[in-house]
Amino acid sequence: MNDNCYLIKIYLTIIVILISAFTPNSFAAKAPKRISQNISIDGNIDESPWHSAPVYQDFMVVNPDTGNAPEHKTQTRILYNDDGLYIAIQSFQPKESQIERLSARDNLIDRDHIAVMLDPSGKGLYGYVFNVGLGGSLSDGTIFDEREFAYEWNAPWQAKTQRFDDRWDTEIFIPWQVLKLPAASDKRTIGIMVERHVAYLAEKWSSPPVGHNRPVFLSAFTPLEFEVVAEKNELTFVPYFSSSFDRLNRQASHNYGFDLYYQPTSDSQLSLTVSPDFGLVENDEIVVNFSAFETFVPEKREFFLAGQEIFKPKGAMMVNTRRIGAAPDTPELAPDVSVTTGVGFSDIIAAGKYTGQSGNIRYGVLSAIEDDTTFDLDNDSQSTVQGRKFVALRSVYEMATTQGSYAAFGYLGTLTDHYYGAAQTHLFDSEYRSSDDKWQFNSQLYMSNRSDEQGYGQFFETIYSPEPGLKHTLRLRHIDRNLNLNDLGYLPRNDENQLYYGLRMPDSNDSSQYKTRTDGLWFDLRANNDGQRTTTRLGKWYRFTFDDLSRYNITVHYSDRGWNDLNTRGNGAYRTNGYLTVWQRWQSDRSKPFSYGVAGYIQQAQQGGTNRNIRPFIKYLPADNIAIDADIGYRQRHNWQLWQEADRIDTFDAKQINMTVKSTWIIDDAQELRLAMQWVGLRAKGKKAHRIDTDGYLYATDELRADSFAQANLAFQLRYKYQFAPLSDLYLVYSRGGRAFDSSVHQPQGFDDLLSGSVHDATADQLTMKVRYRF
């Protein structure tokens, strides 16, 4: 009997898949309805236009990628008028299984939510995601490179939800001005996907049924045809005022400026900011970095995030907008003269951006100007460094054939004028996707010119996806010694050749031991242009979701012996030993009010011993509108190699503690209170000093001594936000930072002393008020 039931289940599943494969998509079969009136966005789908709107309900399970019919029904209705797009979604399921949680904007937590994704181009060129959690919390972002999401972008749209005994309803309004719409005369095509996350099942259902692991994502959205509405030249003016009091220096400062957004046509936008006040309300994470690689800091400033996708081709990052307004260039001084006061950031006078589309060509221009910076010197004089000037130009020509293939050719150029002279970079890139979506090719050619030093680089990528979920990725990269993208872009290192292969297997759910399993492997080979292998790594990974909705990830990789050619900062390369790393992470059911887990790794140290890291973490939701996240990490390193000077490398036995606490209280629809605290403490006990011999091996020398040291960093922020209109906010922020450092021949300070020192020895102590209003 059980065997017969199992065969019947398989048969019915095949029938469902065959019917969905040969039945026209319901989105495509029914055009959205145009209306003349406006709809009140309150979460109640009770206005008369909704009753006559076409209903779309062809959802299927896409995560795990089973293709099965969902357990509950989902119905979508779409209306539009001259002002924008209205979308209503009815998510049927019993009230007792609905999981409602509130969060700050763009905070994606585990709860029931709806994601509406739009492709305004109708060709899979770029997209937007509008996410509404049960309870009304919003998040929004952009989609580029087919499946890359960036949630920092914010737009003035509206959404509300309402709960009922058998369902919960969502009502959304998206103004046309939010979307970058290509020019059209009569009809326009917009791609759409509606995705529903059901927290108590840990599943995602979507229409059309396209999972994020499919060969194409954005290009597979269902095309809907709309009548072209009259264009409105949108002009948005957002002035701001901020006042800050530095408690350390007992000084107050006041700033004011504005942002201006003008949309002359539906497919273009001009953005301008004058005297922007970008800091103060968003803290960056504390990073302890002793390596030769620069720490990458993600962009959080809304002006630079908007429309960023045009400046993000695949491959190396050519435009890293965190360079704009970063620490100023350091003046060149006589050997006996030094700077007495530090300057954290450069002031930005103004920045502008223009993005648009003309036929098959998309383009963008970005420019910014910094103010000059004056440094105080220890000889009672001053030195002024000119502010940097930045320009980036981007254009992409795109072609889509009637057979379904896609090709694009682009150019991106940047110019940075700074204290050290002018620096130029150029990128020529191309992309091709086959009509069956199985093959994808990407290529880039880089060039840089800085102080008459020219550099070059090439990148080539092939992706082959013969079936859903199965993906082969092959990458080849060559970068010469002189390529420099870091005046405006971000390149971790130059002088590198790379061969990379990655394999991702389809999701598996055919076991009684787990709900779904995903696995893959990769091989990464890198060498510098002297032929020294810097990386030879082979790895295997697994991700499991079990029936109790707990998750377990494990990655095992082996790195073979090779050369470290960066740690000495240009003073020679030395040989490294092979090592094995095992990383694991387990987390309980995230849909519960209290979830917990632990992550960590164990790794062979370079010169004997073992490196360990363990990080337990919790997430506690005492109420639907309160979230508390906390973790504490302990890291232990044996024979940790740190560069000191020239070709000298010292080893240390180090212990590090990371503590993070974040709490958010959503007071109501307009108010939120957020607390964030991070502390990092490090104790390193010196062991031996080393030099590099003629064969590239490290040898210990008794002539030098490795001194112990300890340091700690603290960052604390308490922020109140009141949103009194769309994109109009009042912020009240208290920020404090602290640092402690100790250098000792034998034993550095303990963690308790480091914590006390970083609390009492403040490096920043500031109160800030900022208000902005969108006209």
Side-chain angles (χ1 to χ4, degrees):
M1 180 67 180
N2 291 335
D3 290 341
N4 291 335
C5 292
Y6 181 70
L7 291 174
I8 292 173
K9 182 178 180 180
I10 293 177
Y11 176 76
L12 291 176
T13 300
I14 294 174
I15 293 297
V16 169
I17 294 174
L18 289 175
I19 291 174
S20 64
F22 291 98
T23 301
N25 186 285
S26 64
F27 270 130
K30 306 169 186 175
K33 181 180 179 181
R34 183 169 182 172
I35 58 177
S36 57
Q37 69 267 46
N38 291 327
I39 301 292
S40 175
I41 303 301
D42 54 12
N44 290 311
I45 309 173
D46 51 7
E47 289 92 346
S48 57
W50 289 126
H51 301 158
S52 58
V55 178
Y56 316 113
Q57 51 188 352
D58 59 329
F59 284 74
M60 297 185 73
V61 179
V62 295
N63 186 12
D65 197 359
T66 62
N68 293 336
E71 186 168 334
H72 306 294
K73 182 172 59 176
T74 308
Q75 294 183 341
T76 301
R77 294 170 172 84
I78 301 176
L79 303 170
Y80 69 101
N81 60 15
D82 290 348
D83 295 326
L85 191 63
Y86 294 92
I87 303 173
I89 301 103
Q90 293 185 300
S91 303
F92 291 85
Q93 76 184 72
K95 192 171 185 177
E96 60 269 18
S97 67
Q98 299 171 16
I99 297 179
E100 175 181 349
R101 286 173 186 152
L102 304 181
S103 68
R105 185 160 185 152
D106 294 333
N107 188 2
L108 301 175
I109 64 175
D110 197 46
R111 62 187 165 203
D112 290 335
H113 68 254
I114 291 291
V116 174
M117 306 180 210
L118 300 176
D119 165 26
S121 72
K123 301 178 181 178
L125 306 181
Y126 54 90
Y128 303 90
V129 55
F130 303 90
N131 193 307
V132 187
L134 177 55
S137 297
L138 306 182
S139 61
D140 45 12
T142 55
I143 310 173
F144 55 96
D145 282 348
E146 197 64 37
R147 67 184 71 252
E148 297 295 325
F149 287 77
Y151 279 96
E152 297 84 359
W153 173 79
N154 289 328
W157 57 288
Q158 304 173 50
K160 295 289 183 180
T161 66
Q162 291 286 345
R163 296 181 68 178
F164 301 92
D165 289 338
D166 64 338
R167 70 184 192 278
W168 62 279
D169 292 352
T170 307
E171 211 171 19
I172 299 172
F173 172 65
I174 303 172
W176 292 122
Q177 286 73 22
V178 166
L179 308 176
K180 190 182 298 181
L181 297 167
S185 57
D186 182 28
K187 302 284 187 180
R188 76 164 69 253
T189 300
I190 297 177
I192 185 171
M193 170 182 279
V194 178
E195 186 176 80
R196 176 182 173 186
H197 177 69
V198 185
Y200 89 97
L201 295 174
E203 292 184 354
K204 288 184 179 180
W205 311 337
S206 78
S207 175
V210 180
H212 292 238
N213 61 342
R214 295 295 180 99
V216 293
F217 181 72
L218 184 61
S219 300
F221 288 7
T222 300
L224 289 182
E225 193 174 78
F226 295 80
E227 296 177 5
V228 174
V229 300
E231 291 187 358
K232 296 182 179 180
N233 296 334
E234 181 82 1
L235 177 63
T236 304
F237 178 58
V238 187
Y240 85 89
F241 171 78
S242 70
S243 180
S244 181
F245 179 67
D246 189 332
R247 299 180 63 194
L248 293 181
N249 300 319
R250 312 300 297 179
Q251 292 181 345
S253 60
H254 310 286
N255 298 288
Y256 55 88
F258 66 86
D259 294 344
L260 185 69
Y261 301 93
Y262 176 59
Q263 199 166 0
T265 61
S266 63
D267 58 357
S268 63
Q269 184 180 59
L270 172 66
S271 308
L272 176 67
T273 183
V274 175
S275 186
D277 183 29
F278 285 132
L280 308 177
V281 297
E282 291 288 348
N283 270 351
D284 291 320
E285 297 290 328
I286 295 176
V287 178
V288 178
N289 183 10
F290 289 93
S291 74
F293 295 94
E294 177 190 9
T295 298
F296 174 74
V297 182
E299 183 61 85
K300 297 181 178 180
R301 302 170 295 184
E302 292 184 7
F303 177 84
F304 291 116
L305 289 168
Q308 64 171 340
E309 64 278 355
I310 186 68
F311 299 103
K312 280 193 169 184
K314 283 192 174 182
M317 181 177 290
M318 297 286 292
V319 177
N320 173 23
T321 51
R322 285 302 294 259
R323 303 288 187 198
I324 303 172
D329 297 329
T330 304
E332 295 180 350
L333 304 172
D336 58 341
V337 179
S338 60
V339 175
T340 58
T341 57
V343 179
F345 299 98
S346 301
D347 291 328
I348 303 175
I349 297 175
K353 179 167 44 181
Y354 184 74
T355 58
Q357 181 172 345
S358 177
N360 290 346
I361 299 177
R362 288 191 295 137
Y363 53 86
V365 181
L366 171 67
S367 179
I369 303 173
E370 295 176 346
D371 200 359
D372 297 344
T373 302
T374 300
F375 293 85
D376 293 328
L377 308 180
D378 59 2
N379 61 357
D380 296 328
S381 64
Q382 293 182 325
S383 177
T384 299
V385 173
Q386 71 178 42
R388 291 167 295 218
K389 302 174 182 64
F390 303 91
V391 177
L393 304 173
R394 172 66 167 163
S395 63
V396 184
Y397 177 74
E398 297 165 308
M399 300 178 295
T401 67
T402 55
Q403 291 78 23
S405 62
Y406 167 84
F409 305 91
Y411 167 78
L412 174 57
T414 71
L415 172 64
T416 305
D417 184 13
H418 50 51
Y419 178 76
Y420 306 106
Q424 303 175 33
T425 67
H426 305 275
L427 166 72
F428 299 91
D429 63 309
S430 64
E431 180 181 356
Y432 172 79
R433 290 197 304 268
S434 63
S435 57
D436 58 6
D437 298 326
K438 293 183 177 181
W439 288 97
Q440 182 177 344
F441 302 96
N442 303 292
S443 66
Q444 288 84 34
L445 172 65
Y446 309 99
M447 292 184 288
S448 67
N449 192 327
R450 189 176 194 263
S451 301
D452 296 327
E453 187 176 74
Q454 295 183 342
Y456 300 90
Q458 298 87 38
F459 172 83
F460 182 78
E461 178 183 63
T462 300
I463 299 175
Y464 176 53
S465 304
E467 61 181 79
L470 177 60
K471 183 168 73 172
H472 303 267
T473 302
L474 176 67
R475 297 191 186 113
L476 301 172
R477 188 195 307 267
H478 167 71
I479 302 174
D480 72 11
R481 289 184 176 88
N482 297 326
L483 183 66
N484 189 337
L485 307 180
N486 287 340
D487 293 285
L488 183 53
Y490 177 78
L491 183 67
R493 65 161 296 165
N494 50 22
D495 188 16
E496 184 175 65
N497 301 284
Q498 180 188 23
L499 168 64
Y500 171 88
Y501 169 74
L503 171 66
R504 187 196 190 281
M505 300 297 293
D507 292 349
S508 172
N509 60 346
D510 56 359
S511 172
S512 60
Q513 300 179 1
Y514 51 80
K515 185 179 179 71
T516 181
R517 185 200 76 191
T518 306
D519 65 289
L521 58 85
W522 82 93
F523 173 73
D524 192 7
L525 174 64
R526 305 188 188 200
N528 59 29
N529 288 291
D530 291 329
Q532 296 171 328
R533 283 190 296 115
T534 58
T535 301
T536 307
R537 184 172 297 170
L538 177 64
K540 176 70 177 177
W541 58 270
Y542 290 92
R543 291 200 298 262
F544 296 91
T545 299
F546 298 103
D547 291 334
D548 64 355
L549 303 189
S550 63
R551 292 169 169 85
Y552 175 68
N553 299 354
I554 181 170
T555 299
V556 180
H557 67 79
Y558 176 73
S559 295
D560 198 11
R561 64 185 62 188
W563 291 81
N564 189 323
D565 62 340
L566 291 184
N567 199 19
T568 63
R569 277 70 166 176
N571 291 283
Y574 60 91
R575 298 177 186 270
T576 59
N577 298 318
Y579 60 92
L580 181 70
T581 302
V582 180
W583 177 88
Q584 301 178 79
R585 186 180 191 273
W586 177 86
Q587 183 174 11
S588 65
D589 181 3
R590 296 182 298 180
S591 67
K592 303 295 184 182
F594 181 75
S595 62
Y596 54 93
V598 61
Y601 66 80
I602 184 169
Q603 180 186 77
Q604 292 175 295
Q606 278 289 302
Q607 293 186 329
T610 305
N611 299 327
R612 298 180 180 89
N613 185 15
I614 185 169
R615 185 178 68 88
F617 55 90
I618 63 169
K619 187 176 188 69
Y620 179 47
L621 301 132
D624 291 341
N625 61 337
I626 299 176
I628 301 172
D629 293 90
D631 67 73
I632 179 168
Y634 176 75
R635 184 177 184 182
Q636 186 178 42
R637 284 176 283 196
H638 287 96
N639 294 304
W640 182 27
Q641 297 176 347
L642 285 181
W643 174 73
Q644 303 297 313
E645 60 180 6
D647 66 342
R648 176 182 168 182
I649 304 291
D650 290 359
T651 55
F652 300 81
D653 283 345
K655 298 178 181 179
Q656 181 175 322
I657 293 179
N658 293 53
M659 294 189 296
T660 304
V661 178
K662 296 180 180 180
S663 179
T664 303
W665 176 27
I666 307 300
I667 303 171
D668 54 34
D669 289 346
Q671 300 180 86
E672 68 178 58
L673 183 66
R674 188 182 71 175
L675 180 148
M677 189 279 292
Q678 184 183 10
W679 184 80
V680 178
L682 171 68
R683 300 177 70 240
K685 185 175 182 180
K687 295 187 68 177
K688 295 182 180 180
H690 299 77
R691 296 287 193 185
I692 304 174
D693 67 16
T694 56
D695 293 326
Y697 292 97
L698 291 178
Y699 69 92
T701 172
D702 296 331
E703 300 175 358
L704 302 170
R705 181 184 60 204
D707 293 338
S708 302
F709 69 94
Q711 72 174 55
N713 296 85
L714 171 71
F716 174 87
Q717 185 182 84
L718 182 65
R719 189 186 81 174
Y720 169 78
K721 177 184 177 183
Y722 174 58
Q723 185 181 59
F724 48 89
L727 298 186
S728 302
D729 308 285
L730 167 69
Y731 292 95
L732 299 175
V733 184
Y734 172 66
S735 300
R736 183 180 175 89
R739 186 175 187 270
F741 182 81
D742 175 55
S743 181
S744 172
V745 174
H746 300 294
Q747 191 72 23
Q749 286 184 347
F751 286 116
D752 53 347
D753 294 326
L754 289 172
L755 177 59
S756 176
S758 60
V759 170
H760 292 96
D761 298 334
T763 57
D765 195 353
Q766 196 171 62
L767 289 168
T768 300
M769 184 274 293
K770 179 177 179 178
V771 61
R772 64 175 181 176
Y773 185 77
R774 176 180 179 268
F775 288 94

